Amino acid sequence: MAHTRNHNDRRRKVSKLRAFLVIFSTLILASVVGAGLFVAKAATNLPEWDPTDLTNQKQASIVYDKDGIQIAQLHASENRIATKSGDIPDLVKKTFVAVEDKRFYSHIGIDPIRIAGSAIHDILSQSAKEGASTITQQLARNAFIQDPTAKTLTRKIQEAIMAVVLEHKYTKDEILTFYLNKIFLGESSYGIQAAAKTYFGKDLNQLNPAEIAMLAGMPQAPSGYDPYYHPDEAKNRRTIVLGVMRDSGIITAGDYAKYKDEPFTYVDTMKQTYGGAKNAVVTTSDYKFPYFVDYVITTLENDYNITSDQIYHGGLKIYTTVDPKIQSTAEAAFKDSANFPKSVDSTLIQGAMTVLDPTSGAIRAIVGGRDYTPMGLNRATQSQRQPGSTIKPLVVYGPAIEKGGYFPGTVLDDMPVSYNGGNGTAWSPKDFDTESAGWKGRITMRFALEDSVNVYAVKLLNLIGVNNGWQFGKNLGLPLTEKDKVLSLALGTPQVTTLNMASAYGAYADNGVSVTPHAFEKVVDSAGAVVVAPQITKNRVMKPTTAYIINDMLRSVVTNGTAYAAQIGNWAVAGKTGTTSLDPQKYENKTGNPDAWFAGYTPSYVGIVWMGYDSDPDGKHYLHQVFGGGYPANLWKKVMTTALEGTQVQTEFQKPNGIVSGQIDTKSGLLPSSLTPSQFIQTEIAAKGDLPTEVSNVWVINSSGRLVLNLPDRDSSANWPSDEAPYRPYANSFNGAQSTAPENSQTSTDPTTPASNVQTGNSPPSTPPSGQPATDKTAPPTGAAPGQTTTPTIPTPPATSTSPTSPTPPTPSKGH
């Protein structure tokens, strides 16, 4: 019986094993059949292809304006220079093979070893990032697959089949040559010869190992390893490739040590001279609005990793935000030489302009110069220049109002002041007209902004704190760096583009909300699927009351100040002029300016205009008597007048709750006293809680019975401005006659004001109490009377308006 049971148990086990084997074999067979059918289906639906597509690209992408009207057709518009196999150095071929496909010369188009290794890596890492494509597969993908970025099994099978076909039809050297001529290497450069020109200004046969290594490292992420935008990443990737070259015996260990730290000299020169790359060869279609379209293309390439293959022959539909009316008007204005000052020679004085809708962030117009070069320098988005006084509302006045305790009637003294400039030097900011017109004395914030007074702006930034001003500007989207955290930030020493400035000013026009600037709404592929849509965010970066007060003050700049030329009928126009100054160390006693700006906006549009030379290699190419309120403001008005045609006139910026008004004494920033002369009383606005509640104490009757200004902190030897001179508290000072001897040594006070309210030379708190004027802490000039306040130590300011990294203090920006 026991023997029978054992026999039956063995039979049952054998039956189970057979059943398992049958089921397993069936599953394997089904999987093989299924895989075969899937491969067969993929092969059946193989894309139609022509071997000539290895050198010719035929599919076009369409670009549309904001209303969906076609403005451009992109096809065969590539920076491509075809190169014969014999002209490609062996070092280039060996390096690309070592980095991209080390078994290239032994596989049949696909590499089973690489596929298996990639699969194991992906399983172990629980990701799908490891690439398994051979050079032949990459060539097949880029030449024949309609959507080369689609990560589907069908596409991979089709790619593999086509790679095997290519290996059967062409030699290895032919395939490698096709690949090296077709591969995209960033900056709209196709093929290694075009890339050699773009990144090094050389022919392919002139490249050294470091330069070849950089190019060989780019195919994985052309935008991410672009040295124009990501030099650190490009250098790290180059070092890795040089290591592969060394380990493969392509270069020696000595070569590796020699080249691994080589600087990007050509790239740095191009960035400094032109603001970016100038592509070597571009064959492009003649399309409308080229500066705008070029910006869209570079944005898709650099920010969204859309390859130029897709852009130029991927059948895309690109829906942009350009307004044809505004863009056409701007382009016409830039072509009219009457809108620009005359140059000293045949080199054009250049310009740039950006216009955007502040409520949506949509860019409506971009003009990057007066002489368009296909895919060349776009000054509106690439040329970083110092903005001069146009930056003051963004990093000084806006953050002061936002901080609280300050309002348009806050009074500071425009008189000589010195700060620690570092290295034992003193920095004494002044205005362009200080030498000719003298100091302006005690002035309000509104007047300082209208007349673009530099000393006021620097003193105010010192009071609110450089970090506060820097962070406020950063929140507006300005590309500020740590080196910009200095007092000369108030005078516009950072580097910005017209697009940067348009986006920043847009937050004021949109009542304190910052919106992501964008030049396209979506990109759709040939099947109708959206492949790219920008992420548009709206962030409140300041209180609505802050935005309104800045808008109101900048309206005064247009109605009463340096931007008078920008007025447009009854429209509410706000604006700010800016002009940078020559570096005195380079230009000695010459007068002129490198840059002239105008930043203007209405509730509907923001427009920024810049003018100047691209560079000054000989010390002669700079502007002469050209200020922001002149040519730039006039060109802005021409464009914006057309932009506003047919729209309802808006005579005011939106006024939020929390705005109050009242009369103030313009020499103290407090409520007028019974002694305040009528000409120094005006009505001013403020955020609720920031309007003064205390009475002015600067007006007193002296021992001679005369009304005088009680300003004990002011240097007794200083020349007073004409409106204050009649009230100077010194003998023989009436009607402007001045003496350095005080009339009496006792400080007289307004009899209606308690003595405890009299201002002294003590430094104020960083935020004045509500209603108190923001006083300033200054250092006296040489020979100042004892008891004057001392110089505060501040971060070392940049050198000049044209060289922010120099250790010497900057020259003042001009307020025109």
Side-chain angles (χ1 to χ4, degrees):
M1 291 293 292
H3 176 74
T4 302
R5 281 198 302 270
N6 291 337
H7 180 71
N8 291 335
D9 288 343
R10 284 196 297 271
R11 291 182 63 185
R12 282 195 292 270
K13 289 180 179 178
V14 171
S15 297
K16 290 180 179 179
L17 178 62
R18 287 176 178 173
F20 172 78
L21 291 175
V22 169
I23 293 171
F24 181 75
S25 300
T26 302
L27 289 175
I28 292 295
L29 181 61
S31 298
V32 171
V33 172
L37 291 174
F38 189 86
V39 171
K41 181 179 180 181
T44 302
N45 295 323
L46 205 65
E48 294 184 7
W49 64 286
D50 185 332
T52 60
D53 287 342
L54 291 171
T55 54
N56 297 322
Q57 290 70 46
K58 300 179 180 179
Q59 300 179 63
S61 292
I62 309 300
V63 183
Y64 302 91
D65 67 15
K66 73 178 186 66
D67 298 317
I69 306 300
Q70 179 177 326
I71 58 173
Q73 187 177 47
L74 307 178
H75 58 88
S77 180
E78 301 169 355
N79 182 14
R80 183 193 298 277
I81 308 174
T83 306
K84 296 179 180 178
S85 174
D87 295 330
I88 302 175
D90 286 341
L91 185 59
V92 172
K93 294 180 179 179
K94 290 178 180 178
T95 301
F96 271 85
V97 169
V99 174
E100 289 293 304
D101 186 3
K102 63 183 180 181
R103 281 179 290 276
F104 171 70
Y105 289 104
S106 61
H107 62 60
I108 61 171
I110 57 175
D111 186 350
I113 297 176
R114 188 170 183 177
I115 292 172
S118 174
I120 293 171
H121 181 277
D122 288 347
I123 292 171
L124 293 176
S125 64
Q126 295 184 342
S127 68
K129 297 180 179 179
E130 188 74 11
S133 296
T134 64
I135 283 177
T136 315
Q137 286 177 272
Q138 293 181 54
L139 176 63
R141 177 198 314 153
N142 291 328
F144 310 121
I145 303 297
Q146 186 172 26
D147 184 4
T149 63
K151 297 180 180 180
T152 64
L153 182 58
T154 298
R155 196 217 72 186
K156 295 296 292 184
I157 293 172
Q158 292 174 342
E159 176 186 300
I161 294 172
M162 297 177 79
V164 174
V165 173
L166 287 174
E167 290 276 352
H168 180 72
K169 187 175 181 63
Y170 299 102
T171 67
K172 289 286 187 180
D173 190 65
E174 287 174 325
I175 290 172
L176 184 58
T177 301
F178 286 140
Y179 169 80
L180 292 175
N181 275 321
K182 186 171 183 58
I183 191 169
F184 173 60
L185 293 171
E187 295 293 339
S188 298
S189 297
Y190 282 83
I192 50 175
Q193 174 64 13
K197 289 288 189 180
T198 298
Y199 295 108
F200 310 112
K202 298 179 179 180
D203 287 321
L204 188 58
N205 58 13
Q206 298 175 313
L207 299 184
N208 64 35
E211 294 162 342
I212 292 172
M214 197 203 83
L215 296 182
M218 295 188 74
Q220 288 188 9
S223 298
Y225 297 135
D226 186 337
Y228 283 99
Y229 291 91
H230 306 291
D232 292 338
E233 290 81 356
K235 183 178 180 181
N236 291 337
R237 177 62 178 163
R238 184 186 66 184
T239 301
I240 292 173
V241 174
L242 283 169
V244 173
M245 296 168 72
R246 176 199 58 198
D247 297 341
S248 302
I250 300 173
I251 62 173
T252 66
D255 289 333
Y256 173 84
K258 175 182 178 181
Y259 291 111
K260 68 183 182 67
D261 294 319
E262 182 172 289
F264 296 125
T265 305
Y266 180 78
V267 169
D268 292 339
T269 300
M270 295 299 287
K271 287 168 67 177
Q272 183 177 4
T273 305
Y274 299 105
K278 293 191 73 175
N279 296 325
V281 175
V282 181
T283 56
T284 180
S285 301
D286 182 18
Y287 47 72
K288 290 182 178 180
F289 316 145
Y291 277 117
F292 197 103
V293 174
D294 285 358
Y295 174 65
V296 171
I297 292 170
T298 56
T299 298
L300 290 173
E301 289 178 346
N302 295 324
D303 296 345
Y304 295 92
N305 294 321
I306 301 296
T307 68
S308 288
D309 267 331
Q310 291 173 278
I311 293 172
Y312 288 110
H313 39 83
L316 302 178
K317 294 181 179 180
I318 304 169
Y319 295 90
T320 76
T321 61
V322 68
D323 186 317
K325 180 175 69 172
I326 302 175
Q327 181 72 31
S328 297
T329 302
E331 290 182 0
F334 273 72
K335 290 178 181 178
D336 187 352
S337 59
N339 293 326
F340 289 83
K342 292 183 179 180
S343 177
V344 294
D345 54 22
S346 60
T347 303
L348 289 178
I349 292 175
Q350 282 294 346
M353 185 175 191
T354 299
V355 179
L356 61 74
D357 178 346
T359 59
S360 67
I363 303 171
R364 297 307 187 196
I366 291 175
V367 180
R370 300 173 64 186
D371 49 353
Y372 172 73
T373 300
M375 295 305 294
L377 176 63
N378 190 335
R379 296 170 185 83
T381 61
Q382 294 177 321
S383 290
Q384 294 187 321
R385 308 288 293 218
Q386 293 183 323
S389 292
T390 55
I391 205 172
K392 290 175 181 176
L394 307 175
V395 299
V396 180
Y397 297 110
I401 299 298
E402 181 75 3
K403 182 179 178 68
Y406 298 89
F407 76 115
T410 295
V411 171
L412 296 178
D413 207 5
D414 177 54
M415 294 297 279
V417 61
S418 292
Y419 295 98
N420 182 356
N423 300 322
T425 62
W427 178 46
S428 301
K430 56 184 179 180
D431 293 309
F432 78 99
D433 63 349
T434 299
E435 298 296 332
S436 60
W439 299 94
K440 297 173 179 63
R442 293 178 69 83
I443 55 176
T444 64
M445 183 187 293
R446 184 180 295 275
F447 179 86
L449 191 51
E450 287 176 5
D451 207 49
S452 200
V453 181
N454 287 335
V455 171
Y456 188 107
V458 174
K459 287 184 175 182
L460 184 57
L461 182 59
N462 190 40
L463 283 170
I464 67 172
V466 173
N467 285 344
N468 284 333
W470 183 91
Q471 190 60 58
F472 192 88
K474 192 78 171 175
N475 291 343
L476 293 177
L478 294 179
L480 303 179
T481 64
E482 288 294 319
K483 70 179 181 180
D484 296 319
K485 286 185 177 180
V486 288
L487 272 182
S488 57
L489 170 65
L491 304 186
T493 49
Q495 303 279 341
V496 297
T497 65
T498 60
L499 177 55
N500 296 148
M501 296 294 280
S503 179
Y505 270 100
Y508 287 134
D510 196 27
N511 306 307
V513 176
S514 178
V515 187
T516 306
H518 56 284
F520 65 93
E521 300 292 355
K522 62 181 178 179
V523 177
V524 179
D525 65 16
S526 57
V530 175
V531 293
V532 174
Q535 295 295 316
I536 311 302
T537 60
K538 294 188 176 185
N539 297 310
R540 177 158 293 284
V541 292
M542 70 188 82
K543 293 174 285 192
T545 52
T546 299
Y548 178 79
I549 290 171
I550 294 297
N551 293 342
D552 189 72
M553 287 198 292
L554 290 177
R555 284 199 68 188
S556 295
V557 176
V558 175
T559 57
N560 303 318
T562 58
Y564 189 81
Q567 296 182 71
I568 302 177
N570 294 324
W571 274 92
V573 176
K576 185 69 190 76
T577 58
T579 310
T580 60
S581 297
L582 296 175
D583 181 351
Q585 293 184 342
K586 177 180 178 180
Y587 293 90
E588 297 180 347
N589 296 323
K590 294 180 180 178
T591 58
N593 45 289
D595 310 279
W597 292 77
F598 181 67
Y601 59 94
T602 69
S604 302
Y605 296 108
V606 177
I608 309 294
V609 176
W610 166 83
M611 290 184 184
Y613 287 99
D614 285 330
S615 62
D616 183 15
D618 55 9
K620 298 178 181 178
H621 292 81
Y622 54 87
L623 303 176
H624 298 267
Q625 296 297 308
V626 178
F627 306 111
Y631 283 100
N634 280 295
L635 189 148
W636 179 93
K637 180 178 180 178
K638 290 181 179 180
V639 175
M640 298 302 283
T641 298
T642 299
L644 296 170
E645 285 179 355
T647 62
Q648 184 176 357
V649 175
Q650 295 173 272
T651 59
E652 299 289 342
F653 287 96
Q654 182 179 337
K655 185 176 181 179
N657 295 327
I659 297 294
V660 297
S661 64
Q663 288 190 324
I664 65 162
D665 180 328
T666 60
K667 290 300 175 182
S668 68
L670 301 176
L671 301 180
S673 75
S674 60
L675 299 178
T676 304
S678 60
Q679 68 267 34
F680 299 116
I681 299 176
Q682 72 179 35
T683 300
E684 193 51 89
I685 64 171
K688 188 176 182 180
D690 290 335
L691 202 66
T693 58
E694 298 184 25
V695 176
S696 174
N697 57 10
V698 299
W699 298 100
V700 298
I701 304 296
N702 68 5
S703 58
S704 300
R706 187 163 59 84
L707 180 66
V708 298
L709 277 167
N710 179 40
L711 305 176
D713 287 346
R714 184 178 286 179
D715 175 22
S716 60
S717 65
N719 290 328
W720 284 33
S722 59
D723 68 326
E724 296 177 356
Y727 304 99
R728 184 179 176 120
Y730 305 144
N732 302 321
S733 65
F734 196 64
N735 293 327
Q738 298 180 7
S739 168
T740 59
E743 188 170 45
N744 60 66
S745 60
Q746 300 298 316
T747 300
S748 300
T749 60
D750 181 348
T752 65
T753 306
S756 60
N757 285 341
V758 176
Q759 297 180 33
T760 67
N762 297 327
S763 62
S766 60
T767 303
S770 177
Q772 280 291 101
T775 59
D776 57 287
K777 184 176 182 179
T778 65
T782 303
Q788 296 291 309
T789 56
T790 57
T791 306
T793 300
I794 60 168
T796 303
T800 69
S801 297
T802 56
S803 181
T805 58
S806 175
T808 55
T811 53
S813 63
K814 297 179 181 179
H816 287 285

